[in-house]
Amino acid sequence: MRQSEQLTTRMTDKLDYEELLGCMRCGFCLPTCPTYIRSKDETASPRGRIAIMKGVVDGLIEPDAGVEKTLNECLGCLACEPACPAGVRYSVLLEDARAAITEHKRATGQMDIRERVIRKVVFDGLFMNKANMETATGFLRFYQQSGVQTLTRKLHILDWFPDQLQKMEAILPPVPPKTERRRRPERLKATGQPTARVAFFSGCLMDTMFYETNANTMKLLQAAGCDIVIPDTQQCCGALHGHAGEQAGAVRLAKQNIEAFEALDVDYVITNAGGCGAFLLGYDHLLKQDPAWLARAERFKAKVKDFASILIEVGFLDRVTLTLPKQVITYQDSCHLRNVQQGALAPRLLLQAIQGTTYVEQRHADHCCGSAGVYNLLQPIIANDILEMKMGHVRDTAAQTIVTSNPGCHLQMQLGIQEHGTDSMRAVHLADLLAEALPNT
């Protein structure tokens, strides 16, 4: 059997054909898709990509490098899903197709040594292992605090690296010391009358590079009356694995996380990263082949909730008065928080409640900023084009503060400010801004 036929067979086994047939080619997805808006090319649209997947499965399209390129250029923002009148689950088709391609390349030796090494180091060595993530973050802190970063910039050593990596290095947040991260207890008590008992999904990057955002999120939950449990056996959510075709790794992480949370007597599992929360909600799809694990995934999924939504639900705004110095605020939606978790309203309600500020809705705030996990590193030209359009809409609001609900979006908006913004602008995670606005902080 030819290798292309092997890939066709693998994609046929992976993809849900009924889901492929669900696309009516109506085009409602087109005005929501950033890559289609940018290129006006049907192959860069959701319905175009679904047609390509179906063509491969039907044996009408050769699954060549062009097919892989088209699928990889999708941001995975999933704005197409709420726009689809047929309810096609584009997300599962995209992830399963990417997994089929990755597994085929690895099995047939088509994956070159460079890609094999990078995938092994990143997916198996780093995001699969919390200790390794801590070590890597420790090296980053040493780089930032020891003077190496200053020397590297002074000697222009970064000039040897790709432009996009140079830009990202400039906007990385300062990493807190490991001692600070280790001091956090496993349980935190609510402030005042308890309203709910929750478990906190701390994540990997969120609990290292963005540790302060996690700490602020828990401060807000306590102020809202939540008793908090932070299980130490939890792992990375697996989103980067799932989006990159490393489905086996995503399954392993999903099982570890379900085991870490399912024995806890909690009302909710709380997240503060839109991408992580959305992927946790997809654990039932990842584990659909195993009935026992599927049932466990469905029970876990039923408890997952974004922190902004739970703050609204338990009456946070009735318990505290939020105040900040005069400023104009705008909000950039996390695609996965909006499109998968349906969490667009709660952040806006919280921001509009901050006294002393003016909230201005950004035009096309629901359109992707171009971050999309590591998309801005892998597809920098498309990502930067999308970011430039986004920053035009931000400038129209005259905002000094751009608020996000996802670490990748946060960094991307900081990059946008660096490239296309003004000195008076800043990007901040919603949890950090709300913590600023708390009384007596």
Side-chain angles (χ1 to χ4, degrees), residues 272-418:
N272 63 356
C276 295
F279 201 74
L280 297 178
L281 290 175
Y283 278 3
D284 55 341
H285 171 70
L286 273 180
L287 301 171
K288 64 183 179 181
Q289 302 297 337
D290 187 326
W293 274 105
L294 173 59
R296 294 168 74 176
E298 288 172 340
R299 289 193 293 272
F300 172 80
K301 173 181 176 177
K303 292 187 176 184
V304 173
K305 191 176 288 287
D306 181 70
F307 87 100
S309 296
I310 192 64
L311 290 181
I312 294 297
E313 284 188 24
V314 301
F316 172 71
L317 293 178
D318 296 327
R319 296 168 68 110
V320 301
T321 299
L322 301 173
T323 308
L324 282 175
K326 184 179 179 180
Q327 59 192 286
V328 176
I329 295 172
T330 194
Y331 179 67
Q332 168 60 32
D333 282 288
S334 155
C335 294
H336 287 152
L337 177 58
R338 183 184 186 100
N339 300 323
V340 180
Q341 298 186 72
Q342 286 78 55
L345 180 59
R348 288 170 168 82
L349 292 176
L350 292 164
L351 291 173
Q352 290 165 9
I354 302 175
Q355 297 180 11
T357 68
T358 301
Y359 177 79
V360 178
E361 182 68 17
Q362 175 196 150
R363 189 161 65 97
H364 298 314
D366 58 333
H367 285 196
C368 186
C369 64
S371 170
V374 293
Y375 186 94
N376 54 359
L377 294 176
L378 300 176
Q379 305 286 346
I381 294 174
I382 301 175
N384 288 335
D385 286 350
I386 291 170
L387 179 59
E388 186 173 357
M389 288 189 288
K390 173 64 62 180
M391 289 306 298
H393 301 320
V394 169
R395 288 194 300 271
D396 289 344
T397 68
Q400 290 92 40
T401 303
I402 310 166
V403 183
T404 72
S405 296
N406 193 65
C409 304
H410 183 186
L411 290 178
Q412 185 75 343
M413 297 314 295
Q414 283 188 264
L415 181 60
I417 292 169
Q418 178 177 283

Side-chain angles (χ1 to χ4, degrees), residues 217-229:
T217 303
M218 286 182 273
K219 183 189 298 183
L220 294 166
L221 291 170
Q222 287 178 283
C226 296
D227 289 326
I228 307 169
V229 183

Side-chain angles (χ1 to χ4, degrees), residues 29-30 42 60 103 105 108 118 173 178 199 210 240 250 264 272 275 288 300 322 325 338 348 358 413:
C29 59
L30 299 184
E42 272 288 347
L60 302 175
E103 291 168 11
K105 287 170 65 178
T108 57
I118 291 173
K178 186 181 293 186
F210 295 91
L240 289 179
L264 303 176
N272 63 356
K288 64 183 179 181
F300 172 80
L322 301 173
R338 183 184 186 100
R348 288 170 168 82
T358 301
M413 297 314 295

